[in-house]
Amino acid sequence: MDIIDLIKEFTPRTELQQKSKELILAELLQYGERLYSRDTLHAHMSASAIILNPSLDKTLMVYHNIYNSYSWTGGHADEEQDLYTVAYREAREETGVERLYPVSRSLLSVESLPVPEHIKRGKKVAFHYHHNVTFGFICPDNQRLSIKPDENSSVAWLDINKLTELCSEEDMVPIYEDNIRQVIKLMTEKQRNYQLLPERLLPWYEKNARDLPWRKDQDPYHVWLSEIMLQQTRVDTVIDYYNRFLMEFPTIKALADADEERVLKLWEGLGYYSRARNLQKAAKNIMAEFGGNFPKDPAKINKLPGIGIYTTGAIASICFDYPMPAVDGNVLRVISRITEDYRCIDEENTKKEIGRQLAEIYPKGHCGDFTQSLMELGATICLPNGEPKCGSCPAKDICIAYKSKRYSLLPIRKEKRAREVQEITFFILTWGNKIAFRKRREKGVLHDMWELPNVYGKLDREDVKHWLQEQKGAGHIGNMNQGKHIFTHIEWRIRCYKITCEKPFGDYLWADEDKLDTEISLPTAFKKFLLPEETDFQQLSLE
């Protein structure tokens, strides 16, 4: 949204704001881009920030050398038309803080303010006006502060009730106080939205919850299994895996006693195989330490292998009515939009604080339903990557991002690190009706899983001949297919050669199709290349 639209949507609270809004809009219409440069006209655009601490009792200000007073941070547009960026940048540069979060991306205030004649860097600056817009920010007050010495001589947290004593510009104090009141009002609304969530979501969830197999009871084994399977995997994919897994391992004891290869075989295709191994390790712990009974204490649940704070919250609330939220990406997205929270949801402090605030409003006797209602809203209504289904949302009347039409800006995420690209060559070694497999010993992705023989690098047919000779093997090198496989931080770009061998060689397991179907758990990265040759491997983008 450009600055003209932001000013148009701003509702003045004072006579000065009303007059300033009309004047600035008129001059933006008249002068256009010229108003963003400080070297022209009688006025130019600027942006300021009102910064409060999380307790909302202190404001961060700089002692401005021009005015000989503590004042808000801010600066000239200098041809930058995104004035939010100007306010954010200047606030950080003038105070030295690193972490700074907008209360809203809407304007806090609009004022046309006179700037007296002054000397700056040895040059005379004539009287002019700042057509100023203000944004509100929350800033943790435990950060190191530093001044911008060419403009300011001090930076400090000031008691919001003592601005009259500390700010010598008497005409600015009412402006600061009005903006501070507005920040407090907005933050109070965010807090109120937490309080209103249970009454909005519980009735909706009762009527709209999807019929999922793990919701048919509150057996902690069932909830635990579903939550582990659902990590990094879509619900539609998990349902069949969940049902097959429970048919073979209906109890924690059955899982604990199972052969690991069989567990991995039933997990085949879900990926992230460490989840399956940890699931079985935890089952063994439950048998050894708790007599086969799933522990009810969240602290004990959290200590089980593969169970983090999210899964602990899901099990504790759904199965034992414990007021402990399960804060995952879906829930963080829902909360960041409903409260228009611009903190980065990838930061642990943000996750912990949102979890703390949710825990305070968990409805006794309905903790499990509330946890699942948040999950359900994020999975079916408050969607990522595109348009959420706001018209069907039970919380749209309290959703600040919906009212401000800024839901597309949220949640705030860290910039993703580029994946490391690795060239790798697979070999399908066949002898009669058997194919060669081996266990992957390299640490990292797919460690200790079955794999096709492979080497790093982009091998051509001549390279493959040399590799085969080094392995003391012989055979006919057939077709080559290409594809890729995407892990979280790595992308494999794959060439795969099919080699018909004259006899078995190497330290491989030579297995037929029946053994592959029943005993060998082969990750998708390799299994896809055993499909019929008409598969278009060049287009594969595998998860």
Side-chain angles (χ1 to χ4, degrees):
M1 189 177 291
D2 67 23
I3 196 62
I4 293 178
D5 290 332
L6 284 173
I7 295 173
K8 284 181 177 178
E9 77 167 17
F10 171 69
T11 301
R13 299 179 298 278
T14 68
E15 184 178 351
L16 172 61
Q17 291 171 359
Q18 180 62 51
K19 290 180 178 179
S20 298
K21 175 179 178 178
E22 295 169 0
L23 174 62
I24 296 172
L25 285 174
E27 295 206 342
L28 281 169
L29 183 63
Q30 180 178 358
Y31 298 113
E33 293 183 6
R34 294 174 61 197
L35 211 57
Y36 293 91
S37 172
R38 74 168 94 180
D39 298 325
T40 59
L41 302 176
H42 60 287
H44 43 258
M45 300 300 298
S46 64
S48 296
I50 283 289
I51 306 168
L52 266 63
N53 64 344
S55 300
L56 306 179
D57 59 359
K58 293 180 181 179
T59 182
L60 185 59
M61 287 191 164
V62 296
Y63 193 89
H64 207 296
N65 295 334
I66 292 175
Y67 305 110
N68 293 314
S69 173
Y70 277 106
S71 67
W72 54 17
T73 63
H76 304 88
D78 285 340
E79 301 183 6
E80 170 63 69
Q81 296 186 30
D82 180 358
L83 295 186
Y84 167 78
T85 296
V86 174
Y88 178 78
R89 181 190 66 229
E90 292 291 327
R92 293 182 66 192
E93 287 182 359
E94 291 191 58
T95 65
V97 300
E98 294 290 332
R99 288 179 292 141
L100 189 69
Y101 311 106
V103 175
S104 170
R105 291 296 292 266
S106 298
L107 297 182
L108 211 58
S109 70
V110 174
E111 286 98 6
S112 184
L113 301 170
V115 180
E117 180 181 289
H118 62 275
I119 303 297
K120 185 170 183 179
R121 294 171 187 162
K123 292 184 179 181
K124 182 179 178 181
V125 179
F127 175 90
H128 60 282
Y129 283 88
H130 279 174
H131 288 344
N132 190 70
V133 296
T134 306
F135 294 88
F137 294 88
I138 297 295
C139 176
D141 52 7
N142 58 353
Q143 300 180 74
R144 185 180 67 85
L145 304 178
S146 61
I147 64 170
K148 192 177 182 183
D150 60 329
E151 295 182 2
N152 311 316
S153 55
S154 178
V155 54
W157 285 101
L158 308 181
D159 187 324
I160 62 172
N161 297 312
K162 296 182 178 180
L163 296 185
T164 303
E165 304 169 23
L166 298 166
C167 301
S168 59
E169 295 178 283
E170 293 182 4
D171 57 330
M172 291 300 297
V173 172
I175 294 174
Y176 298 151
E177 291 177 337
D178 172 73
N179 279 285
I180 288 170
R181 285 193 296 271
Q182 188 64 12
V183 170
I184 293 173
K185 177 183 176 183
L186 292 170
M187 293 302 292
T188 301
E189 182 181 3
K190 295 172 190 282
Q191 188 59 46
R192 178 187 65 98
N193 283 2
Y194 276 96
Q195 303 293 332
L196 294 174
L197 275 173
E199 65 186 61
R200 295 298 192 281
L201 299 192
L202 287 174
W204 169 83
Y205 177 73
E206 185 178 0
K207 294 179 181 178
N208 295 278
R210 288 169 295 174
D211 183 17
L212 300 173
W214 47 86
R215 288 179 174 168
K216 296 187 183 303
D217 55 50
Q218 293 173 302
D219 186 323
Y221 176 42
H222 298 165
V223 174
W224 168 40
L225 175 63
S226 70
E227 289 299 334
I228 299 300
M229 285 187 165
L230 285 165
Q231 293 170 14
Q232 310 289 340
T233 312
R234 294 172 60 86
V235 168
D236 292 346
T237 301
V238 164
I239 291 174
D240 287 342
Y241 279 94
Y242 173 85
N243 289 330
R244 284 196 300 269
F245 202 90
L246 276 186
M247 283 184 65
E248 185 141 352
F249 309 124
T251 64
I252 292 175
K253 184 179 188 305
L255 175 58
D257 293 342
D259 180 76
E260 183 185 276
E261 288 295 341
R262 186 58 186 158
V263 173
L264 294 174
K265 185 63 184 176
L266 286 175
W267 202 269
E268 185 180 65
L270 277 176
Y272 301 93
Y273 289 89
S274 61
R275 294 182 297 168
R277 289 195 172 101
N278 282 330
L279 195 72
Q280 189 175 37
K281 286 179 186 176
K284 292 178 184 291
N285 283 13
I286 292 170
M287 294 305 300
E289 297 178 25
F290 305 106
N293 298 310
F294 203 98
K296 295 182 179 182
D297 183 350
K300 293 177 180 178
I301 296 173
N302 193 222
K303 288 182 179 179
L304 293 170
I307 296 186
I309 194 66
Y310 164 77
T311 307
T312 298
I315 297 168
S317 60
I318 295 170
C319 304
F320 307 120
D321 198 46
Y322 198 88
M324 185 175 184
V327 181
D328 68 349
N330 277 337
V331 173
L332 289 166
R333 183 171 60 255
V334 166
I335 296 301
S336 69
R337 287 174 174 168
I338 287 176
T339 64
E340 198 179 3
D341 189 337
Y342 289 93
R343 291 174 296 177
C344 176
I345 64 169
D346 297 312
E347 294 178 358
E348 284 304 312
N349 285 341
T350 302
K351 295 177 186 178
K352 288 179 181 178
E353 178 60 19
I354 288 176
R356 184 192 66 76
Q357 291 188 271
L358 282 172
E360 290 179 357
I361 53 97
Y362 256 64
K364 188 175 181 180
H366 301 282
C367 292
D369 284 345
F370 187 56
T371 285
Q372 294 186 95
S373 71
L374 286 165
M375 294 175 176
E376 193 76 353
L377 192 67
T380 63
I381 301 294
C382 198
L383 303 175
N385 304 326
E387 291 292 312
K389 300 177 182 179
C390 296
S392 303
C393 179
K396 67 181 179 182
D397 66 314
I398 62 171
C399 181
I400 303 174
Y402 172 69
K403 288 186 283 186
S404 69
K405 297 181 174 59
R406 290 185 174 82
Y407 46 79
S408 62
L409 299 178
L410 294 162
I412 301 298
R413 304 295 306 266
K414 286 182 181 176
E415 187 174 341
K416 287 188 177 180
R417 188 181 71 184
R419 290 189 183 94
E420 177 188 352
V421 175
Q422 296 178 345
E423 301 284 353
I424 190 167
T425 301
F426 294 173
F427 306 107
I428 300 176
L429 305 177
T430 64
W431 174 60
N433 67 340
K434 296 184 177 181
I435 299 173
F437 301 98
R438 69 184 184 189
K439 279 293 185 85
R440 185 171 180 80
R441 299 307 179 193
E442 181 179 342
K443 295 291 184 181
V445 295
L446 305 180
H447 173 66
D448 208 29
M449 298 298 299
W450 288 105
E451 66 175 358
L452 296 171
N454 61 83
V455 295
Y456 286 105
K458 190 175 181 179
L459 275 60
D460 59 24
R461 298 182 73 84
E462 196 62 32
D463 295 326
V464 175
K465 286 181 184 178
H466 291 150
W467 177 85
L468 198 56
Q469 290 169 2
E470 290 173 358
Q471 301 296 308
K472 296 182 170 49
H476 171 69
I477 302 172
N479 294 335
M480 187 269 285
N481 286 314
Q482 297 185 82
K484 64 180 178 179
H485 188 90
I486 296 175
F487 301 97
T488 304
H489 301 301
I490 297 171
E491 177 182 321
W492 277 356
R493 292 183 182 172
I494 304 163
R495 286 186 168 194
C496 182
Y497 291 88
K498 186 170 183 178
I499 303 174
T500 305
C501 301
E502 295 177 4
K503 60 181 180 180
F505 64 90
D507 188 18
Y508 301 124
L509 171 67
W510 295 82
D512 58 21
E513 187 174 329
D514 287 343
K515 195 173 186 70
L516 177 61
D517 286 343
T518 58
E519 297 181 32
I520 295 176
S521 176
L522 192 66
T524 304
F526 303 101
K527 195 166 188 177
K528 285 289 186 180
F529 286 89
L530 298 180
L531 293 176
E533 292 188 2
E534 61 265 21
T535 300
D536 187 357
F537 286 97
Q538 192 65 44
Q539 300 301 314
L540 286 179
S541 178
L542 313 175
E543 291 294 339

